[in-house]
Amino acid sequence: MESKIFAPLKMEISNVDLFYGKFQALKSVNMAVQQNIITALIGPSGCGKSTLLRALNRMNDLIPGVKITGKILLDQTDIYKSGMAVTELRTRVGMVFQRPNPFPLSIYDNVAYGLRVAGITGKKELNEIVEKSLVGAWLWDQVKDKLNRSALDLPLDQQQRLCVARLLTIQPEVILMDEPCSSLDPIATMKIEELMIELKKNYTIVIVTHNMQQASRVSDYTGYMLLGEMIEFNDTKTLFTRPSKQLTEDYISGKYG
Amino acid sequence: MKLFGEKAVRRILMVTAFSALSGLLLIALFILNEGLPFIFKYGIKEFLFSSDWYPHLGKFGIYPMIVASLWVTLGAMIVGAPLGVFGAIFLSEYTPRPVMKIIKPTIELLAAIPSVVYGFIGVMVLAPIIRANFGGPGLSLLAASIILGIMILPTVISISIDSILAVPQSYREGSYALGATTWQTTHMVTIKASKSGIIASIILGLGRAIGETMAVIMVAGNSVNIPNTPLDSVRTLTANIALEMSYATGMHRQALFATGVVLLIVIIILNSLASVAIRKRMVKR
């Protein structure tokens, strides 16, 4: 009795090939991202999981020489179709990075950044959303008295939650997280994981992680990737307890990776 | 034997390093030694703030030259700083890396053109254009500002590009990931993060402009004169030294050295400001 979850499809990735110049980083990848579900991507370094994640909000566009074919649908719309507004896409599919990357600005200006980018400048409106987002990222109590201090002075885990708060202001539909805990200690990691589970109520989350325990703790669906291929994609419990592929089993049992 | 070689190399390198330093020290000491006594004898106030420069009458007020130097430098900044900074932004944020890697050294080549060539172009091309379109003698504060503005471009562009490229890519990614455009990312994050380097590039450009001599002599007109308009002929501190040193003797000669002291102090101040700005940037990282 697997607790298979069937939520509506938020994103659909079909037959995606991606090349960095001549190097093929993704090979005919298929995956479905369901709404209000945490989908994890695992696999050894260089397997293409971060590349796949960054294809979902077209962050790969920033790297020269990237070519992508296949389809990535967001609510049935191909995000790579010509005429797609990439800046709008990125407000709908937001991203939290591997290393916390707050801007060298004040805490307040960091959180208000996305709103200002969107042209919102009303002081009252900004204040309101900034507070709400900081509360949503469980950071308000720690920073409410020092909003004008530099964000770079915060400890790393608070910086990472600041990056989450910064993202919540613009109300994305999907949140992509690229190894969000890799530079954090176990306690800070736990806090971020709890936050993810809380955020899942309102957001669809895709997380890339090195850490198999993390994937099994927080995610509902997991994809295992190796050398650019999606080896297996299934609900997390099945994938970790009864993987259908030998390669997956070898990886999760620690034979390589 | 090997150890001996090591020691010898060390000695030789030390001597060469110190020769550069002692050259600087000797020049500074020489100028101060020749110029400072004059300043005190003549009176600092009289020297710096009097407009009477009549060497044959024993009057040595360099105020017009100070004003001219400041105006010419400010003019060079008005011309060169926006061109340089925006050029650097374009090359670092909007130009494909391989293209930028060809253009940047090409711009740096501007610095290798001898200043007499800039002056020559100023005299032959720029001054007639100014004379024909705006009136005045053509050889003017405006001409000097434009020529110097172009001459400081390589300094401003090169150092600005370096400091913009030193901004971590993760800042840009964070901004793009929030739906920002390239220009929003550039002016809301990248420039803020590289501000001190950009300011340093402008200050170093100013140092170059205030010290430039040959090109300025050729295009500024060189009358000792507090300018009323940009079309007036002016004489800068550097031009004053270069123009009169060949025949100056006695007090006059000392007055020129004292002018050098003033220049030296201004340039030391500018360079210190630039290095403070650069250091501040490094501490922030």
Side-chain angles (χ1 to χ4, degrees):
Chain A
M1 59 120 293
E2 283 337 309
S3 56
K4 286 252 181 195
I5 315 149
F6 289 107
L9 273 189
K10 188 68 191 170
M11 297 191 84
E12 213 178 327
I13 294 98
S14 43
N15 293 317
V16 167
D17 290 310
L18 187 144
F19 297 85
Y20 294 124
K22 287 203 172 80
F23 174 74
Q24 185 165 10
L26 295 178
K27 295 171 186 163
S28 189
V29 169
N30 291 289
M31 182 175 89
V33 177
Q34 301 172 58
Q35 198 159 349
N36 296 98
I37 288 272
I38 298 181
T39 306
L41 295 171
I42 60 169
S45 324
C47 69
K49 55 195 191 303
S50 284
T51 300
L52 176 59
L53 192 77
R54 295 165 70 94
L56 302 184
N57 66 343
R58 294 187 59 170
M59 285 302 281
N60 286 328
D61 289 14
L62 302 178
I63 304 165
V66 169
K67 223 183 104 227
I68 185 165
T69 60
K71 268 199 176 137
I72 298 182
L73 304 182
L74 171 67
D75 289 338
Q76 307 305 320
T77 308
D78 189 350
I79 63 171
Y80 282 89
K81 71 171 186 199
S82 65
M84 180 76 196
V86 181
T87 52
E88 192 218 313
L89 166 71
R90 293 189 186 132
T91 63
R92 293 177 62 195
V93 184
M95 188 163 216
V96 175
F97 294 84
Q98 185 166 359
R99 272 196 70 77
N101 61 344
F103 305 125
L105 306 170
S106 72
I107 294 172
Y108 184 93
D109 287 341
N110 261 281
V111 184
Y113 189 87
L115 298 167
R116 288 181 174 143
V117 160
I120 298 168
T121 50
K123 193 97 196 116
K124 200 167 149 243
E125 195 179 359
L126 283 180
N127 286 343
E128 233 164 65
I129 304 177
V130 165
E131 174 173 350
K132 209 175 109 196
S133 306
L134 283 168
V135 169
W138 298 348
L139 195 58
W140 176 248
D141 289 332
Q142 288 94 316
V143 302
K144 66 180 175 209
D145 299 322
K146 48 179 181 182
L147 293 174
N148 290 321
R149 293 258 294 276
S150 168
L152 302 183
D153 296 339
L154 292 174
L156 271 185
D157 67 308
Q158 293 189 14
Q159 286 190 12
Q160 193 62 302
R161 276 182 284 146
L162 185 75
C163 292
V164 173
R166 185 170 78 179
L167 189 53
L168 297 186
T169 57
I170 57 172
Q171 295 282 315
E173 298 157 37
V174 182
I175 298 180
L176 310 175
M177 297 181 145
D178 189 358
E179 303 196 33
C181 304
S182 64
S183 52
L184 304 182
D185 64 47
I187 293 171
T189 299
M190 200 173 75
K191 278 190 263 180
I192 298 274
E193 288 178 4
E194 286 169 9
L195 179 61
M196 275 188 252
I197 289 167
E198 173 74 23
L199 289 174
K200 167 169 109 163
K201 291 176 192 156
N202 298 311
Y203 303 91
T204 302
I205 297 176
V206 184
I207 175 178
V208 159
T209 177
H210 239 76
N211 177 332
M212 277 181 281
Q213 284 76 26
Q214 181 168 58
S216 68
R217 278 192 301 263
V218 300
S219 73
D220 305 288
Y221 268 75
T222 300
Y224 168 61
M225 294 183 72
L226 182 64
L227 299 173
E229 286 180 72
M230 183 67 80
I231 303 297
E232 188 166 352
F233 185 77
N234 212 333
D235 69 279
T236 300
K237 205 167 157 201
T238 310
L239 188 122
F240 278 102
T241 52
R242 290 188 287 107
S244 60
K245 299 265 173 57
Q246 189 59 41
L247 281 170
T248 316
E249 190 171 340
D250 289 350
Y251 181 69
I252 60 178
S253 61
K255 279 201 184 142
Y256 64 90
Chain B
M1 193 57 217
K2 208 171 158 194
L3 195 68
F4 175 76
E6 183 67 28
K7 269 188 177 163
V9 167
R10 202 187 130 103
R11 288 262 159 77
I12 293 167
L13 289 178
M14 200 169 77
V15 169
T16 52
F18 272 100
S19 65
L21 196 65
S22 52
L24 176 73
L25 217 69
L26 276 177
I27 290 172
L29 279 178
F30 186 68
I31 293 175
L32 289 174
N33 185 42
E34 295 283 324
L36 274 184
F38 170 84
I39 295 181
F40 291 123
K41 201 164 65 190
Y42 191 74
I44 292 183
K45 217 177 127 201
E46 193 61 17
F47 179 59
L48 292 180
F49 297 112
S50 156
S51 299
D52 299 327
W53 177 264
Y54 302 114
H56 54 288
L57 301 176
K59 300 246 183 202
F60 303 103
I62 59 167
Y63 186 63
M65 274 81 94
I66 294 179
V67 173
S69 272
L70 291 180
W71 274 119
V72 165
T73 308
L74 186 75
M77 191 175 89
I78 291 171
V79 173
L83 280 180
V85 172
F86 285 112
I89 290 170
F90 177 75
L91 287 173
S92 59
E93 303 298 286
Y94 288 86
T95 314
R97 236 359 93 80
V99 179
M100 190 273 276
K101 286 206 170 123
I102 296 169
I103 295 181
K104 186 174 176 247
T106 313
I107 291 173
E108 281 162 358
L109 216 58
L110 269 180
I113 298 175
S115 55
V116 67
V117 174
Y118 282 98
F120 189 57
I121 292 170
V123 172
M124 302 308 286
V125 182
L126 188 61
I129 291 177
I130 292 174
R131 190 162 50 229
N133 290 291
F134 303 106
L139 298 173
S140 58
L141 171 54
L142 178 64
S145 298
I146 293 174
I147 290 292
L148 281 177
I150 295 169
M151 288 179 76
I152 66 171
L153 279 181
T155 309
V156 176
I157 291 182
S158 177
I159 297 173
S160 289
I161 286 184
D162 289 344
S163 74
I164 293 172
L165 289 183
V167 172
Q169 189 62 17
S170 65
Y171 291 170
R172 294 187 186 86
E173 287 191 338
S175 173
Y176 285 122
L178 290 165
T181 60
T182 305
W183 175 238
Q184 285 173 326
T185 303
T186 302
H187 83 95
M188 290 170 77
V189 175
T190 315
I191 293 187
K192 277 192 180 150
S194 56
K195 199 169 55 188
S196 50
I198 292 174
I199 291 171
S201 80
I202 295 173
I203 297 174
L204 289 173
L206 293 188
R208 172 124 209 256
I210 209 166
E212 175 53 39
T213 312
M214 182 44 97
V216 175
I217 289 183
M218 293 171 77
V219 301
N222 301 322
S223 20
V224 180
N225 171 26
I226 295 178
N228 292 315
T229 77
L231 300 174
D232 287 349
S233 158
V234 294
R235 181 188 292 190
T236 63
L237 292 168
T238 51
N240 191 43
I241 299 174
L243 287 168
E244 301 194 356
M245 67 184 171
S246 56
Y247 60 85
T249 52
M251 281 282 271
H252 187 191
R253 181 171 167 276
Q254 289 180 334
L256 294 183
F257 272 110
T259 312
V261 171
V262 173
L263 265 174
L264 190 68
I265 291 171
V266 171
I267 287 175
I268 287 174
I269 291 173
L270 282 178
N271 274 314
S272 321
L273 285 178
S275 55
V276 166
I278 290 171
R279 191 156 328 129
K280 210 173 104 201
R281 177 184 66 175
M282 305 226 275
V283 170
K284 246 189 186 162
R285 275 298 125 69

